[in-house]
Amino acid sequence: MKQEGNELVKNSQFQGAVDKYSECLAIKSDECAIYTNRALCYLKLDCFAEAKRDCDSALQIEPNNKKAFYRRALAHKGLKDYLSASTDLQEVLQLDPKVQEAEQELELVTNLLRESLMDNAQG
């Protein structure tokens, strides 16, 4: 089933993949990769709260999972929680300083955070 979900992701059929991964989790709820894979699909579907929840579950199983931190950061960004996104991205870079996507995303999120703080100060 997990393999079927992965195939659906490759074909950009994210809702179908979510359904497959959900079936997998009903049977085996302690596999970190299924949560991070489903989180990726939720991100593609702009379901940021769901993606965050799956990443939280993945991190309970594997507290140092880089993918879970990275995808949770993207979910936080989608929810406009730039501070939490920044924290998760820093966590990724602490675990592996070579993750360029995290470095680029951190720069972006830092700018978004700065802008949002300036908007709040002016508002």
Side-chain angles (χ1 to χ4, degrees), residues 13-56:
Q13 295 175 317
F14 300 112
Q15 189 56 59
V18 163
D19 297 340
K20 280 291 168 208
Y21 293 137
S22 298
E23 285 176 42
C24 289
L25 288 168
I27 298 164
K28 195 172 189 326
S29 64
D30 61 347
E31 193 176 329
C32 187
I34 299 171
Y35 284 107
T36 56
N37 289 358
R38 190 171 69 173
L40 171 70
C41 296
Y42 280 137
L43 288 170
K44 298 284 188 189
L45 295 166
D46 289 345
C47 298
F48 301 115
E50 292 83 349
K52 180 194 169 308
R53 195 172 48 237
D54 274 0
C55 291
D56 289 341

Side-chain angles (χ1 to χ4, degrees), residues 72-83:
R72 188 171 72 176
L74 297 179
H76 282 306
K77 181 178 139 193
L79 295 166
K80 297 186 177 5
D81 182 353
Y82 304 125
L83 193 58

Side-chain angles (χ1 to χ4, degrees), residues 103-119:
E103 214 169 293
Q104 293 161 350
E105 201 60 48
L106 182 57
E107 207 173 298
L108 186 70
V109 165
T110 303
N111 289 332
L112 289 167
L113 179 60
R114 193 177 302 121
E115 286 170 23
S116 75
L117 290 173
M118 284 167 53
D119 288 349

